[in-house]
């Protein structure tokens, strides 16, 4: 074991400190994981509240609640909060909680950096959200930050850029920690190909983060210098090109979408075998498929910009490369199905979310394949079809997987069982809500409704109304989620260490709740 | 547990049904509109084809999954098998998607070539995106104008305008000056922007491209029928992004000639090579 | 046993940090890479010196191509800006001159820079600019006007299916002036 770790575990072996200092100065992976998850939940509700204002405005044509400029700020801020504040920190929180327990380590490899990487986030997001109250309002050019529009942002601009820098630093530190933990701290006998799939997907995700978050930081730095220091990276007058920004942004942006879905693949690959009481089908194929997807994610970025006027050869290359991604993704979906096949399934809440994930994520995958077809993409591009597509992969995709993970490991974290009836109610309301919310948006896009508009022509009225109803069902049913967690902590029955009958993996050999330091002595792996 | 599903489903269906019966809400359009250009059918067919492939795959996949979810339940006395590999199955389900993708890739690639072939146009219109209106310049005959959101919509679109927008027929989809083109002629559009990136899209013309400041993009269409076709800006361009519609009126060649003269254009020919004017004045 | 093969934490962390730093640099490296990409495809072809001898030596027969000139202003700056002629028929392999006319419409000194673009993209690398006013700051006195010169040649290697090239210039006021508006 490394010096750094033994050093720290020596200091902390008395258990948690008292009061607020426990959370401020903690270097414990479970405390930090909890902080990440709570932070992510707060951001999920903040971003969700913005989404509900957006859907309320779009409930019917005509402008009822917000002015168009504020509407643009809401769509921009909703995306930034959900991507960088809700989904990514939630996965980092899960990694913190679970990786040491899954690989038989006492803690993360770099605990002090771990503390730092979390505590940057509240500052970053306070700064970002505060821009809404500045002269000229918050950023309103979309989360894609395309110049020249984003350069029209008022006083908020440098604050937004620095907030993104801070988020990037946090993610980079988090991913370094994940990689070092996985490569350095596995229990004896746990070879790479014995690691649980969640560990594998996070290892690959961490490398993706390491490769692309700095590129985003570079892109926003160039925006900053273009606006204030007279450079002309993206300004036509100085020989720059606004389309160059799109290339750099999506070089980050496409791997970023896999950063938000690969850990989800890992979670689902843990949950389905447990409740099918059957080993994961094609473990190695899953690992290779994940690696393939990660590799391909670096060579498909320009499929986000087919309408920007690319050379024909470029359009063809990015179309073919994008279609290729369908293959490893299909392999994953088939493997999950094969895992369920001839299993002995029960449907507790985590399994329900995992099954819904497989089905609804696949729908998002299909629309993704459609978007790869360039001639058709000219019609889909920047319409609600795209909105429906990425929300299908991100909400019933990434977010559902996070919820599944929460239900699945909550008894291990808290030592108590959640209320199954409440959990199932939450599941069914969410699943119905999310489909009523996003499915009609496919139709809106095909019929011709562009995205990011505060008001629309009357032929789009009916599906927008349905979508908004779905949004409110989905949004308010998330209160159940909080209720389940609070109820579990307060009134839950004592959970066994095994928790789930079919659960396998090192984390289930620890008592529930898991001890403050996961594995003081490394477990033996058969 | 699936019993719990029925109540919410019934409730949703009831809500949807009530909405459908509301006479004020008429459209419920599910698919792409049928286009009116020489390429629209090809593009719509590609969309249909990939949609059908996805639907068939979904039905088969979700069918198998549904059967598994139904049959292999502990409550039905299923006993878990222990297999975790099946090389044959894995090879088959890796190879089949490859063939399906090749099957789709070929016509799509051909489609790109057709769409990008903007050569030999009958006329060229330069379209400039502004925050927040469109500028049109007919390079062949000197007609030029701006197209702003029509006043009726602009009035009603204000916050608390007190006007019921459902009473406005083409709410947010009408302009003061339409772009008029002749039917059956290859119209080439040069796109640029004055300030930020915009995007010019008319769904029924089946073309869309970004208008980028400092750069030009080109695209083309040949309308096969006359009529009025509406669209709007599709790239976020600031406060007025939702308020810069596009209206294209396709008319007969004779009507087009009349329109050109009425709008101060020069000899209404649609063959560019015979024309040499100094009319493409950037200062509109 | 496998314990021994595990990397040490600190050096590994530093190596990973180095990856992040390198990738930050890579973000900036994409700028020149994009320029190279554009030069290869001709999107942003630099001004080339084409020797007369190169032109004469080509075996390919010359053919007629339509050059279409377009002028744009950025940010509605106070200019009149237009090509002196909007259509020109040229032979491939010969050198031509065209001018763009620009006039300052206000009673103040103005500085402008112009940026070129060419469509179709495929034609760009065959459109050789021998002299061009692009990217050079142009000073204008109050209401002064100028004809600005472009000398160019279309290479005989231009692919057969291209019979029309659009040349576009966008005139940008210098930021100082744009700020005053």
């Amino acid at each position: 074991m490394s010096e750094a770790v033994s050093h720290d575990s020596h200091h902390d072996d008395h258990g948690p400190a008292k009061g607020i200092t426990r959370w401020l100065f903690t270097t414990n992976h479970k405390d930090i994981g909890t902080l990440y998850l709570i932070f992510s939940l707060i951001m999920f509700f903040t971003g969700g509240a913005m989404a509900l204002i957006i859907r309320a405005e779009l409930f019917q044509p005509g402008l009822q609640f917000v002015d168009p400029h504020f509407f643009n700020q809401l769509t921009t801020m909703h995306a930034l909060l959900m991507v960088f504040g809700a989904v990514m920190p939630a996965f980092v929180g899960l990694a913190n909680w679970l990786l040491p327990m899954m690989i038989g380590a006492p803690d993360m490899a770099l605990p002090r950096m771990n503390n730092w990487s979390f505590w940057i986030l509240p500052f970053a997001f306070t700064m970002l959200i505060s821009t809404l109250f500045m002269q000229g309002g918050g950023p309103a050019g979309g989360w894609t930050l395309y110049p020249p529009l984003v350069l029209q942002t008022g006083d908020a601009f440098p604050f937004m850029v620095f907030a993104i820098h801070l988020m990037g630093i946090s993610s980079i530190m988090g991913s370094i920690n994940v990689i070092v933990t996985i490569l350095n701290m596995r229990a004896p006998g746990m070879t790479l190909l014995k690691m649980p799939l969640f560990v594998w997907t996070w290892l690959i995700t961490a490398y993706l983060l390491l490769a692309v978050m700095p590129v985003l930081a570079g892109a926003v730095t160039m925006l900053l210098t273009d606006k204030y220091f007279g450079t002309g990276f993206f300004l036509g007058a100085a020989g720059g090109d606004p389309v160059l920004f799109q290339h750099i942004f999506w070089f980050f942006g496409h791997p970023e979408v896999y950063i938000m879905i690969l850990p989800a693949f890992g979670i689902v690959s843990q949950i389905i075998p447990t409740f099918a009481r059957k080993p994961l089908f094609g473990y190695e194929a899953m690992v290779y498929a994940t690696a393939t997807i990660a590799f391909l994610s670096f060579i498909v970025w320009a499929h986000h910009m087919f309408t920007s006027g690319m050379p024909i050869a470029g359009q063809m290359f990015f179309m073919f490369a994008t279609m290729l991604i369908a293959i490893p993704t299909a392999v994953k979906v088939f493997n999950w199905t094969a895992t369920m096949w001839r299993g002995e399934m029960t449907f507790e809440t985590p399994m329900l979310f995992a099954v819904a994930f497989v089905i609804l994520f696949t729908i998002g995958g299909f629309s993704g394949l459609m978007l790869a077809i360039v001639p058709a993409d000219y019609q889909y591009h920047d319409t609600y079809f795209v909105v429906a597509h990425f929300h299908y992969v991100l909400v019933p995709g990434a977010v559902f997987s996070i919820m599944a993970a929460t239900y699945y490991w909550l008894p291990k974290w808290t030592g108590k069982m959640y209320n199954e009836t409440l959990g199932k109610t939450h599941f069914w309301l969410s699943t119905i809500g999310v489909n009523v919310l996003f499915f009609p948006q496919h139709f809106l896009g095909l019929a011709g409704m562009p995205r990011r508009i505060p008001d629309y022509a009357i032929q789009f009225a009916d599906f927008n109304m349905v979508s908004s109803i779905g949004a409110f069902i989905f949004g308010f049913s998330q209160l159940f989620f909080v209720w389940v967690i609070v109820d579990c902590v307060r009134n839950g029955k004592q959970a066994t260490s095994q928790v789930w009958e079919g659960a396998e993996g090192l984390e289930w050999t620890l008592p529930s709740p898991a001890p403050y330091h996961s594995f003081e002595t490394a477990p033996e792996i058969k | 547990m699936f019993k719990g599903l029925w109540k919410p489903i019934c409730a949703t269906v009831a809500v949807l049904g009530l909405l459908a019966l509301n006479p004020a809400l008429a459209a419920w359009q599910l698919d792409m509109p049928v286009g009116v250009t020489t390429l629209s059918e090809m593009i719509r067919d590609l969309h249909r084809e990939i949609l059908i492939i996805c639907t068939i795959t979904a039905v088969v996949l979700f069918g198998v999954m549904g059967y598994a979810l139904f049959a292999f339940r502990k409550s039905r006395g299923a006993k878990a098998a222990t297999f975790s590999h099946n090389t044959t199955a894995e090879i088959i389900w890796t190879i089949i998607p490859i063939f399906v993708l090749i099957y789709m890739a070929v016509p799509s690639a051909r489609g790109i070539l057709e769409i990008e072939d903007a050569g030999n146009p009958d006329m060229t219109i330069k379209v400039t995106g502004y925050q927040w209106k469109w500028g049109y310049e007919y390079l062949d005959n000197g007609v030029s104008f701006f197209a702003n959101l029509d006043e009726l919509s602009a009035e009603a679109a204000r916050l608390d305008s007190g006007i019921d927008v459902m009473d406005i027929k083409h709410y947010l989809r009408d302009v003061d000056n339409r772009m008029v083109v002749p039917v059956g002629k290859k119209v080439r559009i040069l796109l640029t922007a004055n300030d930020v990136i915009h995007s010019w899209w008319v769904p029924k013309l089946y073309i869309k491209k970004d208008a980028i400041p400092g750069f030009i993009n080109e695209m083309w269409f040949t309308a096969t029928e006359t009529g009025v076709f509406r669209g709007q800006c599709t790239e976020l361009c600031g406060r007025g992004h939702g308020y810069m519609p596009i209206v294209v009126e396709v008319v007969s060649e004779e009507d087009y000639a009349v329109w050109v003269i009425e709008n101060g254009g020069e000899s209404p020919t649609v063959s560019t090579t015979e024309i040499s004017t100094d009319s493409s004045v950037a200062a509109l | 046993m496998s314990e021994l093969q595990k990397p040490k934490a600190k050096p590994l962390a530093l190596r990973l940090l180095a990856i992040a730093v390198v990738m930050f640099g890579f973000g900036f490296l994409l700028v020149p890479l994009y320029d190279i990409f554009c030069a290869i495809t001709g999107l942003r072809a630099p001004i080339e010196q084409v020797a007369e001898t190169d032109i004469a030596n080509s075996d390919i027969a010359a053919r007629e191509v339509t050059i279409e000139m377009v002028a744009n202003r950025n940010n509605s700056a106070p200019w009149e800006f237009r090509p002196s002629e909007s259509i020109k028929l040229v032979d491939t392999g010969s050198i031509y001159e065209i001018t763009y006319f620009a006039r300052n419409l206000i009673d103040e000194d103005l500085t402008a820079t112009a940026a070129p673009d060419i469509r179709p993209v495929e034609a760009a690398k065959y459109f050789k600019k021998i002299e061009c006013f692009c990217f050079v700051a142009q000073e204008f006195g109050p209401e002064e006007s100028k004809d600005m010169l472009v000398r160019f040649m279309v290479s005989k290697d231009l692919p057969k299916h291209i019979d029309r090239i659009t040349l576009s210039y966008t005139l940008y006021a210098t930021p100082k002036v744009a700020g005053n508006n």
Side-chain angles (χ1 to χ4, degrees), chain C residues 29-40:
Chain C
L29 188 66
L30 283 172
V31 178
L33 281 179
Y34 183 72
D35 285 345
I36 292 168
F37 165 79
C38 290
I40 291 170

Side-chain angles (χ1 to χ4, degrees), chain B:
Chain B
M1 152 196 341
F2 280 87
K3 272 180 281 172
L5 177 58
W6 291 113
K7 263 186 219 162
I9 284 186
C10 292
T12 316
V13 170
V15 170
L16 293 180
L18 280 176
L19 286 171
L21 290 175
N22 184 341
L25 307 171
W28 297 112
Q29 187 182 337
L30 296 180
D31 202 0
M32 278 188 194
V34 175
V36 293
T37 70
T38 46
L39 291 185
S40 57
E41 204 177 316
M42 178 271 289
I43 299 172
R44 194 164 189 269
D45 284 350
L46 275 175
H47 154 71
R48 279 284 170 104
E49 208 168 328
I50 187 77
L51 181 61
I52 289 167
I53 289 175
C54 288
T55 309
I56 293 172
T57 317
V59 168
V60 173
L61 177 67
F62 297 154
V64 172
M65 212 183 286
Y67 176 77
L69 292 174
F70 171 76
F72 306 120
R73 303 157 73 87
K74 198 182 183 189
S75 55
R76 282 174 52 93
K79 283 279 164 272
T82 52
F83 67 87
S84 66
H85 295 282
N86 186 329
T87 315
T88 323
E90 289 180 71
I91 289 173
I92 289 173
W93 72 45
T94 310
I95 286 177
I96 290 179
I98 294 177
F99 281 107
V100 175
L101 291 180
I102 293 172
Y103 174 76
M104 274 317 295
V106 174
S108 305
R110 210 176 289 140
I112 297 176
L113 292 177
E114 277 187 64
I115 292 169
E116 291 291 331
D117 179 17
N120 289 317
D122 295 312
M123 58 185 284
T124 301
I125 304 173
K126 190 179 105 180
V127 180
T128 309
Y130 291 79
Q131 282 176 321
W132 293 278
K133 63 191 170 196
W134 293 99
Y136 295 90
E137 290 167 63
Y138 287 60
L139 297 188
D140 311 297
N141 54 37
V143 174
S144 76
F145 54 87
F146 284 115
N148 293 287
L149 179 66
D150 72 305
E151 280 177 27
L152 211 55
S153 293
E155 188 73 22
R158 291 205 197 102
L159 203 52
D160 304 319
S161 65
I163 301 169
D164 185 2
V165 299
M166 294 304 248
D167 295 339
I168 301 172
K169 195 169 177 214
H170 295 296
Y171 178 59
L172 298 183
R173 284 261 165 138
D174 214 353
V175 292
D176 51 2
N177 294 305
R178 292 169 172 182
M179 173 178 135
V180 176
V181 295
V183 69
K185 295 289 175 187
K186 184 166 183 176
V187 180
R188 176 159 157 272
I189 292 179
L190 288 178
L191 270 171
T192 187
N194 178 59
D195 30 48
V196 300
I197 302 176
H198 303 266
S199 189
W200 198 91
W201 184 38
V202 176
K204 284 189 173 179
L205 296 183
Y206 276 67
I207 51 170
K208 177 194 291 152
K209 228 166 218 180
D210 295 351
I212 302 168
F215 294 82
I216 46 168
N217 265 327
E218 62 175 359
M219 59 184 181
W220 66 277
F221 68 90
T222 304
T224 52
E225 53 186 86
T226 57
V228 178
F229 308 107
R230 295 164 198 276
Q232 64 189 97
C233 179
T234 38
E235 177 66 54
L236 179 59
C237 57
R239 179 191 293 271
H241 168 52
Y243 307 94
M244 43 189 292
I246 298 156
V247 180
V248 175
E249 186 175 356
V250 180
V251 297
S252 69
E253 225 172 315
E254 300 76 48
D255 290 350
Y256 175 69
V258 173
W259 179 84
V260 169
I261 290 179
E262 279 174 355
N263 285 273
E266 296 185 10
S267 114
T269 166
V270 285
S271 169
T272 47
T273 45
E274 297 160 21
I275 295 289
S276 178
T277 67
D278 59 349
S279 56
S280 55
V281 178
L284 272 162

Side-chain angles (χ1 to χ4, degrees), chain A residues 184 186 211 214 236-237 239-241, chain C residues 6-7 20 23-24 34 44 135 172:
Chain A
N184 185 257
R186 297 193 309 281
D241 184 346
Chain C
K6 283 182 187 166
M23 287 311 291
F24 183 73
Y34 183 72
R44 286 301 189 82
F135 300 127
Y172 294 85

Side-chain angles (χ1 to χ4, degrees), chain C residues 7-19:
Chain C
K8 281 244 179 337
K10 213 173 257 171
L12 175 61
L14 289 175
R15 270 207 304 280
L16 295 170
L17 187 66
I19 295 181

Side-chain angles (χ1 to χ4, degrees), chain A residues 67-74 76-77 128-141 149-160 227-228, chain B residues 132 238-239:
Chain A
D67 136 278
H69 185 55
F70 187 63
F71 182 91
N72 290 344
Q73 295 173 43
L74 284 178
T76 306
M77 202 60 87
L128 183 64
I129 293 171
S130 72
T131 61
L132 287 175
F133 307 100
M134 290 177 182
Q135 185 71 38
L149 180 62
V150 75
L151 300 175
Q152 294 182 347
T153 310
D155 294 349
F157 187 76
F159 294 94
M160 175 199 74
K227 187 165 165 79
Y228 294 109
Chain B
W132 293 278
R239 179 191 293 271

